[in-house]
Amino acid sequence: MSAPLPTTLRLLQSITDVPAPAWDALVDPGSVPFLEWGFLAALEESGSVVPERGWHPRHLTLWRGSRLIAAAPAYLKDDSHGEFVFDAAWATLAERAGLRYYPKLVLGVPFTPATGRRVLVAPGEHAPTREAELYNAALEYARAEGLSSVHVLFPTPEELPVLEAQGYALRLGVQYLWRNAGYRTFEDFLGRFRSKRRHQLQHERRAMEAQGISVRTLRGDALAEVDAACAHQLYVSTVDRYPWGVRSLTEDFFARLLAGFRHRCEFVEARREGRRVAGAFNFTGPSTLYGRYWGALEEHPFLHFNVCLYHPVEDCIARGLQRFEPGAGGEHKLTRGFEPHLTYSAHLFLHPGLDRAVRGFLAHERAAVESGLPLWWAETGFKERV
């Protein structure tokens, strides 16, 4: 029997340097949709993720002959925008010490705080070995380029042992997620709440009918009713509301999703007197719904809660989906039945002093997060934990 071919590492400056079938063959059928070639290509080809916007693709790929056997979406970053793992304090610390913080290397999906495998591995390969090879390759690339650090954002819990073995320091985060506890109807879900909280949610739900607003989800062929200009307009209506908001995603990004990634897209729309007044551009996997780009053209009481929380939850129950991840932040989700869940990131700094300082910070932060979990859970208003 002949010996297996050796593996070869290649750093690619565009996802299009890999054929879509080769990349998607590595993506587990139950994985997050954001790891699929179509989503990553839409980001790059639309001008949303390009060097001019601070994102320099440096995708790590491992080949055996002409066969792709492992890959990790990775980017050289000129800033920390669009990562959702906030390290501004670390950058300030480095600056005060006379150290250069940027550029840095980030393994993750731009503008997407969703947990998913950061290293994709072909079936039949030993996943921990391939993961270790690519995490080590990331570190060697950082050393060769004189980068400050390597950051792995939102890896799965299964990947953490390999990351720790490679010397990465782990960081805990918290997101608020909805979990299907076997509900048959939305009323079953409401039944988990204490009386006062349940009446509050029912009041907020009824507000849509009282205001003459209808909410529905468009998917499949029905997405023909949504155009890229509308989706982008809603997206920027939210971004422009904040002084720190940045229009990172272009209209062409939404056009590419609707043209070539429609099987993963959904659109929740709210209409009043026949006109669209709000919407949320979401994504779906086999068992999970992911809330993403929300916007409103008119302001109405409780509109956001219904479009972004209540209607998607009701839809998940009807379809038998197990999880709904509405995105990062938003403690208002706790009081509406979204439970706190840990997220993870991993960090390795090449300067020993900065690395020690960050690890010390992370130890204190971890203790605070772990002690806060039961307090956050108590805010859900559930009568008991299931």
Side-chain angles (χ1 to χ4, degrees), residues 173-197:
V174 176
Q175 288 183 355
Y176 311 123
L177 314 179
W178 178 84
R179 182 173 55 88
N180 193 337
Y183 308 118
R184 292 169 300 174
T185 66
F186 193 83
E187 292 303 316
D188 285 347
F189 170 58
L190 290 178
R192 285 192 64 192
F193 290 90
R194 298 184 185 92
S195 177
K196 182 177 180 180
R197 188 65 57 77

PDB file of all heavy atoms in Angstrom, residues 173-197:
ATOM      1  N   GLY A 173     -17.680  34.628  26.408  1.00  0.00           N
ATOM      2  CA  GLY A 173     -18.666  35.662  26.113  1.00  0.00           C
ATOM      3  C   GLY A 173     -20.045  35.104  26.379  1.00  0.00           C
ATOM      4  O   GLY A 173     -20.210  33.917  26.702  1.00  0.00           O
ATOM      5  N   VAL A 174     -21.057  35.924  26.250  1.00  0.00           N
ATOM      6  CA  VAL A 174     -22.427  35.496  26.493  1.00  0.00           C
ATOM      7  C   VAL A 174     -23.324  36.015  25.382  1.00  0.00           C
ATOM      8  O   VAL A 174     -23.223  37.181  24.978  1.00  0.00           O
ATOM      9  CB  VAL A 174     -22.949  36.000  27.857  1.00  0.00           C
ATOM     10  CG1 VAL A 174     -24.427  35.627  28.034  1.00  0.00           C
ATOM     11  CG2 VAL A 174     -22.131  35.423  28.998  1.00  0.00           C
ATOM     12  N   GLN A 175     -24.172  35.144  24.873  1.00  0.00           N
ATOM     13  CA  GLN A 175     -25.240  35.534  23.957  1.00  0.00           C
ATOM     14  C   GLN A 175     -26.561  34.993  24.495  1.00  0.00           C
ATOM     15  O   GLN A 175     -26.583  34.039  25.278  1.00  0.00           O
ATOM     16  CB  GLN A 175     -24.989  34.991  22.546  1.00  0.00           C
ATOM     17  CG  GLN A 175     -23.865  35.673  21.808  1.00  0.00           C
ATOM     18  CD  GLN A 175     -23.705  35.156  20.384  1.00  0.00           C
ATOM     19  OE1 GLN A 175     -24.378  34.213  19.961  1.00  0.00           O
ATOM     20  NE2 GLN A 175     -22.798  35.764  19.643  1.00  0.00           N
ATOM     21  N   TYR A 176     -27.650  35.596  24.043  1.00  0.00           N
ATOM     22  CA  TYR A 176     -28.973  35.201  24.496  1.00  0.00           C
ATOM     23  C   TYR A 176     -29.681  34.475  23.358  1.00  0.00           C
ATOM     24  O   TYR A 176     -29.970  35.066  22.306  1.00  0.00           O
ATOM     25  CB  TYR A 176     -29.768  36.426  24.943  1.00  0.00           C
ATOM     26  CG  TYR A 176     -28.976  37.299  25.898  1.00  0.00           C
ATOM     27  CD1 TYR A 176     -28.729  38.636  25.615  1.00  0.00           C
ATOM     28  CD2 TYR A 176     -28.436  36.756  27.064  1.00  0.00           C
ATOM     29  CE1 TYR A 176     -27.988  39.428  26.475  1.00  0.00           C
ATOM     30  CE2 TYR A 176     -27.693  37.541  27.930  1.00  0.00           C
ATOM     31  CZ  TYR A 176     -27.465  38.874  27.636  1.00  0.00           C
ATOM     32  OH  TYR A 176     -26.721  39.646  28.490  1.00  0.00           O
ATOM     33  N   LEU A 177     -29.947  33.190  23.567  1.00  0.00           N
ATOM     34  CA  LEU A 177     -30.486  32.324  22.525  1.00  0.00           C
ATOM     35  C   LEU A 177     -31.815  31.720  22.970  1.00  0.00           C
ATOM     36  O   LEU A 177     -32.049  31.484  24.152  1.00  0.00           O
ATOM     37  CB  LEU A 177     -29.506  31.185  22.213  1.00  0.00           C
ATOM     38  CG  LEU A 177     -28.032  31.541  22.036  1.00  0.00           C
ATOM     39  CD1 LEU A 177     -27.229  30.283  21.758  1.00  0.00           C
ATOM     40  CD2 LEU A 177     -27.855  32.543  20.909  1.00  0.00           C
ATOM     41  N   TRP A 178     -32.673  31.464  21.990  1.00  0.00           N
ATOM     42  CA  TRP A 178     -33.923  30.765  22.263  1.00  0.00           C
ATOM     43  C   TRP A 178     -33.730  29.285  21.978  1.00  0.00           C
ATOM     44  O   TRP A 178     -33.150  28.906  20.960  1.00  0.00           O
ATOM     45  CB  TRP A 178     -35.041  31.322  21.391  1.00  0.00           C
ATOM     46  CG  TRP A 178     -36.354  30.615  21.588  1.00  0.00           C
ATOM     47  CD1 TRP A 178     -37.294  30.862  22.549  1.00  0.00           C
ATOM     48  CD2 TRP A 178     -36.866  29.537  20.793  1.00  0.00           C
ATOM     49  NE1 TRP A 178     -38.356  30.013  22.407  1.00  0.00           N
ATOM     50  CE2 TRP A 178     -38.120  29.196  21.338  1.00  0.00           C
ATOM     51  CE3 TRP A 178     -36.390  28.845  19.682  1.00  0.00           C
ATOM     52  CZ2 TRP A 178     -38.907  28.181  20.807  1.00  0.00           C
ATOM     53  CZ3 TRP A 178     -37.164  27.835  19.147  1.00  0.00           C
ATOM     54  CH2 TRP A 178     -38.409  27.505  19.707  1.00  0.00           C
ATOM     55  N   ARG A 179     -34.209  28.465  22.893  1.00  0.00           N
ATOM     56  CA  ARG A 179     -34.087  27.011  22.747  1.00  0.00           C
ATOM     57  C   ARG A 179     -35.479  26.397  22.764  1.00  0.00           C
ATOM     58  O   ARG A 179     -36.310  26.719  23.625  1.00  0.00           O
ATOM     59  CB  ARG A 179     -33.240  26.459  23.886  1.00  0.00           C
ATOM     60  CG  ARG A 179     -32.988  24.967  23.854  1.00  0.00           C
ATOM     61  CD  ARG A 179     -31.996  24.575  24.939  1.00  0.00           C
ATOM     62  NE  ARG A 179     -32.439  25.022  26.249  1.00  0.00           N
ATOM     63  CZ  ARG A 179     -33.235  24.312  27.052  1.00  0.00           C
ATOM     64  NH1 ARG A 179     -33.676  23.130  26.659  1.00  0.00           N
ATOM     65  NH2 ARG A 179     -33.577  24.778  28.245  1.00  0.00           N
ATOM     66  N   ASN A 180     -35.740  25.510  21.842  1.00  0.00           N
ATOM     67  CA  ASN A 180     -37.031  24.845  21.747  1.00  0.00           C
ATOM     68  C   ASN A 180     -37.103  23.717  22.773  1.00  0.00           C
ATOM     69  O   ASN A 180     -36.414  22.709  22.651  1.00  0.00           O
ATOM     70  CB  ASN A 180     -37.248  24.293  20.336  1.00  0.00           C
ATOM     71  CG  ASN A 180     -38.677  23.875  20.096  1.00  0.00           C
ATOM     72  OD1 ASN A 180     -39.424  23.590  21.020  1.00  0.00           O
ATOM     73  ND2 ASN A 180     -39.066  23.834  18.828  1.00  0.00           N
ATOM     74  N   ALA A 181     -37.938  23.907  23.789  1.00  0.00           N
ATOM     75  CA  ALA A 181     -38.087  22.897  24.838  1.00  0.00           C
ATOM     76  C   ALA A 181     -39.264  21.981  24.549  1.00  0.00           C
ATOM     77  O   ALA A 181     -39.996  21.566  25.458  1.00  0.00           O
ATOM     78  CB  ALA A 181     -38.275  23.588  26.190  1.00  0.00           C
ATOM     79  N   GLY A 182     -39.466  21.661  23.272  1.00  0.00           N
ATOM     80  CA  GLY A 182     -40.547  20.770  22.891  1.00  0.00           C
ATOM     81  C   GLY A 182     -41.890  21.453  22.770  1.00  0.00           C
ATOM     82  O   GLY A 182     -42.940  20.799  22.904  1.00  0.00           O
ATOM     83  N   TYR A 183     -41.896  22.758  22.470  1.00  0.00           N
ATOM     84  CA  TYR A 183     -43.150  23.494  22.353  1.00  0.00           C
ATOM     85  C   TYR A 183     -43.938  23.033  21.131  1.00  0.00           C
ATOM     86  O   TYR A 183     -43.384  22.809  20.066  1.00  0.00           O
ATOM     87  CB  TYR A 183     -42.883  24.999  22.231  1.00  0.00           C
ATOM     88  CG  TYR A 183     -41.987  25.565  23.295  1.00  0.00           C
ATOM     89  CD1 TYR A 183     -40.764  26.152  22.972  1.00  0.00           C
ATOM     90  CD2 TYR A 183     -42.355  25.521  24.637  1.00  0.00           C
ATOM     91  CE1 TYR A 183     -39.934  26.685  23.931  1.00  0.00           C
ATOM     92  CE2 TYR A 183     -41.525  26.054  25.618  1.00  0.00           C
ATOM     93  CZ  TYR A 183     -40.317  26.631  25.267  1.00  0.00           C
ATOM     94  OH  TYR A 183     -39.496  27.148  26.227  1.00  0.00           O
ATOM     95  N   ARG A 184     -45.242  22.942  21.296  1.00  0.00           N
ATOM     96  CA  ARG A 184     -46.125  22.640  20.155  1.00  0.00           C
ATOM     97  C   ARG A 184     -46.710  23.918  19.570  1.00  0.00           C
ATOM     98  O   ARG A 184     -46.996  23.983  18.375  1.00  0.00           O
ATOM     99  CB  ARG A 184     -47.244  21.702  20.599  1.00  0.00           C
ATOM    100  CG  ARG A 184     -46.773  20.290  20.977  1.00  0.00           C
ATOM    101  CD  ARG A 184     -47.889  19.531  21.654  1.00  0.00           C
ATOM    102  NE  ARG A 184     -48.326  20.211  22.892  1.00  0.00           N
ATOM    103  CZ  ARG A 184     -49.365  19.830  23.627  1.00  0.00           C
ATOM    104  NH1 ARG A 184     -50.097  18.791  23.240  1.00  0.00           N
ATOM    105  NH2 ARG A 184     -49.688  20.493  24.730  1.00  0.00           N
ATOM    106  N   THR A 185     -46.899  24.921  20.409  1.00  0.00           N
ATOM    107  CA  THR A 185     -47.461  26.195  19.975  1.00  0.00           C
ATOM    108  C   THR A 185     -46.752  27.331  20.700  1.00  0.00           C
ATOM    109  O   THR A 185     -46.045  27.107  21.697  1.00  0.00           O
ATOM    110  CB  THR A 185     -48.970  26.281  20.298  1.00  0.00           C
ATOM    111  OG1 THR A 185     -49.130  26.287  21.732  1.00  0.00           O
ATOM    112  CG2 THR A 185     -49.730  25.114  19.695  1.00  0.00           C
ATOM    113  N   PHE A 186     -46.979  28.555  20.226  1.00  0.00           N
ATOM    114  CA  PHE A 186     -46.430  29.718  20.914  1.00  0.00           C
ATOM    115  C   PHE A 186     -47.032  29.845  22.303  1.00  0.00           C
ATOM    116  O   PHE A 186     -46.358  30.307  23.240  1.00  0.00           O
ATOM    117  CB  PHE A 186     -46.693  30.987  20.098  1.00  0.00           C
ATOM    118  CG  PHE A 186     -45.917  32.182  20.565  1.00  0.00           C
ATOM    119  CD1 PHE A 186     -44.601  32.390  20.161  1.00  0.00           C
ATOM    120  CD2 PHE A 186     -46.485  33.108  21.423  1.00  0.00           C
ATOM    121  CE1 PHE A 186     -43.880  33.487  20.600  1.00  0.00           C
ATOM    122  CE2 PHE A 186     -45.778  34.216  21.863  1.00  0.00           C
ATOM    123  CZ  PHE A 186     -44.468  34.402  21.454  1.00  0.00           C
ATOM    124  N   GLU A 187     -48.278  29.416  22.476  1.00  0.00           N
ATOM    125  CA  GLU A 187     -48.903  29.469  23.796  1.00  0.00           C
ATOM    126  C   GLU A 187     -48.191  28.549  24.775  1.00  0.00           C
ATOM    127  O   GLU A 187     -48.109  28.849  25.981  1.00  0.00           O
ATOM    128  CB  GLU A 187     -50.389  29.102  23.693  1.00  0.00           C
ATOM    129  CG  GLU A 187     -51.226  30.126  22.944  1.00  0.00           C
ATOM    130  CD  GLU A 187     -51.136  31.513  23.558  1.00  0.00           C
ATOM    131  OE1 GLU A 187     -51.213  31.621  24.798  1.00  0.00           O
ATOM    132  OE2 GLU A 187     -50.969  32.490  22.795  1.00  0.00           O
ATOM    133  N   ASP A 188     -47.665  27.411  24.284  1.00  0.00           N
ATOM    134  CA  ASP A 188     -46.850  26.545  25.152  1.00  0.00           C
ATOM    135  C   ASP A 188     -45.632  27.307  25.665  1.00  0.00           C
ATOM    136  O   ASP A 188     -45.258  27.195  26.838  1.00  0.00           O
ATOM    137  CB  ASP A 188     -46.382  25.310  24.382  1.00  0.00           C
ATOM    138  CG  ASP A 188     -47.481  24.291  24.185  1.00  0.00           C
ATOM    139  OD1 ASP A 188     -48.533  24.414  24.840  1.00  0.00           O
ATOM    140  OD2 ASP A 188     -47.278  23.367  23.377  1.00  0.00           O
ATOM    141  N   PHE A 189     -45.009  28.047  24.777  1.00  0.00           N
ATOM    142  CA  PHE A 189     -43.847  28.856  25.153  1.00  0.00           C
ATOM    143  C   PHE A 189     -44.242  29.897  26.198  1.00  0.00           C
ATOM    144  O   PHE A 189     -43.569  30.045  27.228  1.00  0.00           O
ATOM    145  CB  PHE A 189     -43.274  29.522  23.907  1.00  0.00           C
ATOM    146  CG  PHE A 189     -42.222  30.564  24.158  1.00  0.00           C
ATOM    147  CD1 PHE A 189     -41.059  30.265  24.856  1.00  0.00           C
ATOM    148  CD2 PHE A 189     -42.402  31.868  23.687  1.00  0.00           C
ATOM    149  CE1 PHE A 189     -40.090  31.238  25.077  1.00  0.00           C
ATOM    150  CE2 PHE A 189     -41.441  32.835  23.903  1.00  0.00           C
ATOM    151  CZ  PHE A 189     -40.284  32.523  24.611  1.00  0.00           C
ATOM    152  N   LEU A 190     -45.336  30.612  25.978  1.00  0.00           N
ATOM    153  CA  LEU A 190     -45.781  31.616  26.938  1.00  0.00           C
ATOM    154  C   LEU A 190     -46.102  30.995  28.290  1.00  0.00           C
ATOM    155  O   LEU A 190     -45.940  31.633  29.337  1.00  0.00           O
ATOM    156  CB  LEU A 190     -47.009  32.341  26.402  1.00  0.00           C
ATOM    157  CG  LEU A 190     -46.799  33.292  25.217  1.00  0.00           C
ATOM    158  CD1 LEU A 190     -48.127  33.887  24.784  1.00  0.00           C
ATOM    159  CD2 LEU A 190     -45.811  34.396  25.579  1.00  0.00           C
ATOM    160  N   GLY A 191     -46.521  29.734  28.268  1.00  0.00           N
ATOM    161  CA  GLY A 191     -46.883  29.065  29.510  1.00  0.00           C
ATOM    162  C   GLY A 191     -45.717  28.848  30.457  1.00  0.00           C
ATOM    163  O   GLY A 191     -45.930  28.570  31.646  1.00  0.00           O
ATOM    164  N   ARG A 192     -44.501  28.982  29.969  1.00  0.00           N
ATOM    165  CA  ARG A 192     -43.324  28.817  30.844  1.00  0.00           C
ATOM    166  C   ARG A 192     -43.080  30.037  31.728  1.00  0.00           C
ATOM    167  O   ARG A 192     -42.343  29.951  32.713  1.00  0.00           O
ATOM    168  CB  ARG A 192     -42.070  28.567  30.011  1.00  0.00           C
ATOM    169  CG  ARG A 192     -41.974  27.174  29.432  1.00  0.00           C
ATOM    170  CD  ARG A 192     -40.573  26.947  28.894  1.00  0.00           C
ATOM    171  NE  ARG A 192     -39.569  26.992  29.944  1.00  0.00           N
ATOM    172  CZ  ARG A 192     -38.240  27.046  29.706  1.00  0.00           C
ATOM    173  NH1 ARG A 192     -37.809  27.073  28.458  1.00  0.00           N
ATOM    174  NH2 ARG A 192     -37.380  27.073  30.702  1.00  0.00           N
ATOM    175  N   PHE A 193     -43.688  31.179  31.374  1.00  0.00           N
ATOM    176  CA  PHE A 193     -43.404  32.418  32.090  1.00  0.00           C
ATOM    177  C   PHE A 193     -44.286  32.567  33.327  1.00  0.00           C
ATOM    178  O   PHE A 193     -45.417  32.074  33.378  1.00  0.00           O
ATOM    179  CB  PHE A 193     -43.644  33.623  31.169  1.00  0.00           C
ATOM    180  CG  PHE A 193     -42.644  33.769  30.066  1.00  0.00           C
ATOM    181  CD1 PHE A 193     -42.855  33.157  28.835  1.00  0.00           C
ATOM    182  CD2 PHE A 193     -41.498  34.527  30.243  1.00  0.00           C
ATOM    183  CE1 PHE A 193     -41.939  33.293  27.809  1.00  0.00           C
ATOM    184  CE2 PHE A 193     -40.578  34.665  29.214  1.00  0.00           C
ATOM    185  CZ  PHE A 193     -40.800  34.046  28.001  1.00  0.00           C
ATOM    186  N   ARG A 194     -43.750  33.307  34.279  1.00  0.00           N
ATOM    187  CA  ARG A 194     -44.578  33.737  35.401  1.00  0.00           C
ATOM    188  C   ARG A 194     -45.664  34.670  34.879  1.00  0.00           C
ATOM    189  O   ARG A 194     -45.514  35.314  33.846  1.00  0.00           O
ATOM    190  CB  ARG A 194     -43.722  34.437  36.446  1.00  0.00           C
ATOM    191  CG  ARG A 194     -42.642  33.544  37.048  1.00  0.00           C
ATOM    192  CD  ARG A 194     -41.887  34.278  38.151  1.00  0.00           C
ATOM    193  NE  ARG A 194     -40.776  33.469  38.652  1.00  0.00           N
ATOM    194  CZ  ARG A 194     -39.537  33.530  38.195  1.00  0.00           C
ATOM    195  NH1 ARG A 194     -39.252  34.389  37.214  1.00  0.00           N
ATOM    196  NH2 ARG A 194     -38.587  32.773  38.688  1.00  0.00           N
ATOM    197  N   SER A 195     -46.743  34.765  35.627  1.00  0.00           N
ATOM    198  CA  SER A 195     -47.947  35.451  35.160  1.00  0.00           C
ATOM    199  C   SER A 195     -47.676  36.873  34.687  1.00  0.00           C
ATOM    200  O   SER A 195     -48.107  37.259  33.592  1.00  0.00           O
ATOM    201  CB  SER A 195     -48.994  35.464  36.271  1.00  0.00           C
ATOM    202  OG  SER A 195     -50.132  36.186  35.870  1.00  0.00           O
ATOM    203  N   LYS A 196     -46.972  37.673  35.476  1.00  0.00           N
ATOM    204  CA  LYS A 196     -46.749  39.074  35.123  1.00  0.00           C
ATOM    205  C   LYS A 196     -45.983  39.198  33.812  1.00  0.00           C
ATOM    206  O   LYS A 196     -46.349  39.999  32.933  1.00  0.00           O
ATOM    207  CB  LYS A 196     -46.002  39.782  36.244  1.00  0.00           C
ATOM    208  CG  LYS A 196     -45.769  41.269  35.988  1.00  0.00           C
ATOM    209  CD  LYS A 196     -45.078  41.928  37.172  1.00  0.00           C
ATOM    210  CE  LYS A 196     -44.843  43.411  36.913  1.00  0.00           C
ATOM    211  NZ  LYS A 196     -44.165  44.072  38.078  1.00  0.00           N
ATOM    212  N   ARG A 197     -44.950  38.394  33.647  1.00  0.00           N
ATOM    213  CA  ARG A 197     -44.155  38.459  32.422  1.00  0.00           C
ATOM    214  C   ARG A 197     -44.955  37.953  31.233  1.00  0.00           C
ATOM    215  O   ARG A 197     -44.849  38.491  30.130  1.00  0.00           O
ATOM    216  CB  ARG A 197     -42.871  37.653  32.611  1.00  0.00           C
ATOM    217  CG  ARG A 197     -41.855  37.781  31.486  1.00  0.00           C
ATOM    218  CD  ARG A 197     -41.291  39.182  31.342  1.00  0.00           C
ATOM    219  NE  ARG A 197     -40.679  39.676  32.549  1.00  0.00           N
ATOM    220  CZ  ARG A 197     -39.478  39.325  33.009  1.00  0.00           C
ATOM    221  NH1 ARG A 197     -38.754  38.447  32.355  1.00  0.00           N
ATOM    222  NH2 ARG A 197     -38.994  39.863  34.110  1.00  0.00           N
TER     223      ARG A 197
END
